[in-house]
C-alpha cells in the first residue's frame, strides 16, 4: 500500500523558501523514483504554479467555500484555480480552536470543496481534556467531528491529529494510535493519516502501524533535509 506524506507549513516559509523547498522535494522524489504520495501545504501567499512530478501535490491550508465574492481576507476557488490547486486541508485543529471555525462552517467547506472535486484532507482530533476522560469520550468526540461529512467521498483523506500532540513534542503512543485508528477504520474507508509531533526519529514506528496510511507533519517537516528523510524512511518501509 502507498503511504502518504504531507507537510503542513502552517504560518512558515516565504515565497522564496517555499519555491526552494518544493523544487528540492520534487528533485528528490524524481531522482529516487519515490512511489509514495507527497503533499505540501504552503501558506496562501506562497502558492504558485509549481512544476512538480505526479507523486507530489501542492494544496491549500484553507480557503473560503466560494468561487469569489466579498469575504475580506479570504481566498476562493478563483484564486486557487490560478495555480491549479485542487487539494485542501479542512477542519485542522488550529482553525477549529484558535480561529474558532464552527462545525457548521467546516461542513459547509467540506460540501463545497467536495462538489468542486477537491482532494480533501479532513482533520479530526480531541483536546487534552477529552483525552483525560478516556477512550470512550475520545471516540465520541471524533465521531461527532465526522458528523455531516460524506465519508464515502472518493477524494477524501482523513487525518487524526490529537490536539494535545500538535506542536508540543508529545506523541500519542503506538498503542493509542493503533486503537483509535482501528475504531476509525470501522467507519472510514478513506486513507487515515496520523499527525501530531511526528519527527524524523519517530516516523518509522508510526508508519509501521498497520492502520496508519501516512502522516501529516508540521514543524518536523519544515526543513528540506528532514522532510526528505521522512520520505526516505517511508519508501524503505514500502520495499
Ligand atoms: P506538528 O507536527 O508541528 O505537531 O503539527 C502537526 C500538525 O498540525 C500538522 O497539520
Amino acid at each position: 500500500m502507498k503511504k502518504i506524506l504531507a507537510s503542513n507549513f502552517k504560518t512558515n516559509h516565504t515565497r522564496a523558501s517555499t519555491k526552494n523547498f518544493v523544487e528540492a522535494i520534487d528533485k528528490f522524489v524524481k531522482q529516487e523514483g519515490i512511489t509514495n504520495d507527497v503533499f505540501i501545504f504552503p501558506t496562501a501567499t506562497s502558492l504558485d504554479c509549481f512544476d512538480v512530478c505526479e507523486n507530489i501535490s501542492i494544496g491549500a491550508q484553507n480557503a473560503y467555500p466560494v468561487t469569489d465574492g466579498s469575504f475580506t481576507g479570504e481566498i476562493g476557488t478563483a484564486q486557487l484555480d490560478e495555480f491549479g490547486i485542487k487539494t485542501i486541508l479542512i477542519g485542522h485543529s488550529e482553525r477549529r480552536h484558535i480561529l474558532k471555525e464552527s462545525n457548521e462552517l467546516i461542513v459547509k467547506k467540506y460540501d463545497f470543496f467536495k462538489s468542486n472535486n477537491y482532494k480533501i484532507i479532513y482533520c479530526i482530533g480531541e483536546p487534552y481534556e477529552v483525552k483525560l476522560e478516556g477512550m470512550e469520550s475520545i471516540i465520541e468526540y471524533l465521531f461527532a467531528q465526522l458528523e455531516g461529512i460524506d465519508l464515502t467521498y472518493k477524494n477524501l483523506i482523513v487525518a487524526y491529529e490529537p490536539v494535545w500532540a500538535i506542536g508540543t513534542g508529545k506523541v500519542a503512543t503506538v498503542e493509542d494510535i493503533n486503537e483509535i485508528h482501528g475504531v476509525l477504520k470501522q467507519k472510514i474507508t478513506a486513507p487515515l493519516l496520523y499527525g501530531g509531533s511526528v519527527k524524523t526519529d519517530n516516523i518509522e514506528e508510526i508508519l509501521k502501524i498497520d492502520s496508519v496510511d501516512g502522516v501529516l507533519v508540521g514543524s518536523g517537516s519544515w526543513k528540506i533535509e528532514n522532510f526528505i528523510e521522512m520520505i526516505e524512511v517511508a519508501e524503505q518501509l514500502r520495499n
Side-chain angles (χ1 to χ4, degrees):
M1 270 284 280
K2 266 194 185 186
K3 295 277 186 192
I4 295 165
L5 294 123
S7 171
N8 175 7
F9 279 13
K10 306 190 179 187
T11 319
N12 297 282
H13 280 296
T14 59
R15 277 183 74 73
S17 67
T18 298
K19 185 171 184 284
N20 205 19
F21 187 102
V22 170
E23 285 175 0
I25 299 300
D26 181 60
K27 189 171 164 206
F28 177 79
V29 167
K30 273 186 199 144
Q31 260 174 9
E32 300 299 315
I34 299 295
T35 52
N36 287 318
D37 291 331
V38 175
F39 290 84
I40 301 169
F41 292 88
T43 65
T45 57
S46 301
L47 294 176
D48 213 332
C49 297
F50 297 107
D51 181 21
V52 287
C53 66
E54 63 175 20
N55 291 337
I56 299 183
S57 306
I58 307 295
Q61 293 176 25
N62 176 48
Y64 205 61
V66 291
T67 305
D68 51 21
S70 298
F71 304 96
T72 301
E74 297 287 331
I75 57 170
T77 53
Q79 289 73 39
L80 295 174
D81 283 350
E82 261 197 299
F83 305 122
I85 305 286
K86 282 301 233 180
T87 302
I88 188 163
L89 284 180
I90 296 179
H92 193 279
S93 74
E94 284 151 11
R95 297 210 59 85
R96 290 180 193 265
H97 298 290
I98 302 173
L99 296 151
K100 309 288 179 216
E101 242 177 54
S102 66
N103 256 342
E104 194 187 351
L105 177 59
I106 290 168
V107 169
K108 201 169 158 188
K109 284 186 176 182
Y110 188 90
D111 289 343
F112 177 82
F113 287 99
K114 177 190 143 196
S115 69
N116 283 281
N117 267 321
Y118 274 65
K119 177 151 280 188
I120 298 173
I121 299 194
Y122 182 70
C123 307
I124 58 174
E126 82 286 359
Y128 193 59
E129 350 32 298
V130 174
K131 174 187 164 52
L132 290 179
E133 289 171 12
M135 199 50 78
E136 211 174 302
S137 295
I138 296 174
I139 299 298
E140 196 181 313
Y141 190 92
L142 298 177
F143 279 11
Q145 290 182 320
L146 294 173
E147 265 167 38
I149 299 300
D150 175 9
L151 297 173
T152 66
Y153 178 46
K154 66 176 192 321
N155 285 327
L156 169 64
I157 296 170
V158 176
Y160 167 58
E161 299 200 296
V163 179
W164 50 269
I166 295 178
T168 57
K170 290 187 191 130
V171 193
T173 62
V174 167
E175 293 72 31
D176 280 350
I177 299 173
N178 207 7
E179 186 172 356
I180 292 168
H181 273 225
V183 176
L184 289 171
K185 284 260 178 187
Q186 290 170 16
K187 211 176 161 80
I188 296 167
T189 52
L192 184 56
L193 314 184
Y194 171 78
S197 294
V198 176
K199 308 279 179 214
T200 48
D201 57 7
N202 62 18
I203 188 169
E204 183 168 352
E205 63 172 11
I206 293 170
L207 285 177
K208 275 185 176 164
I209 304 171
D210 268 353
S211 53
V212 171
D213 299 309
V215 287
L216 177 55
V217 193
S219 51
S221 67
W222 296 336
K223 282 194 178 140
I224 293 170
E225 63 271 27
N226 290 348
F227 197 42
I228 281 184
E229 192 178 329
M230 290 180 170
I231 295 169
E232 257 177 336
V233 168
E235 199 67 16
Q236 276 159 14
L237 287 177
R238 239 200 127 175
N239 298 327

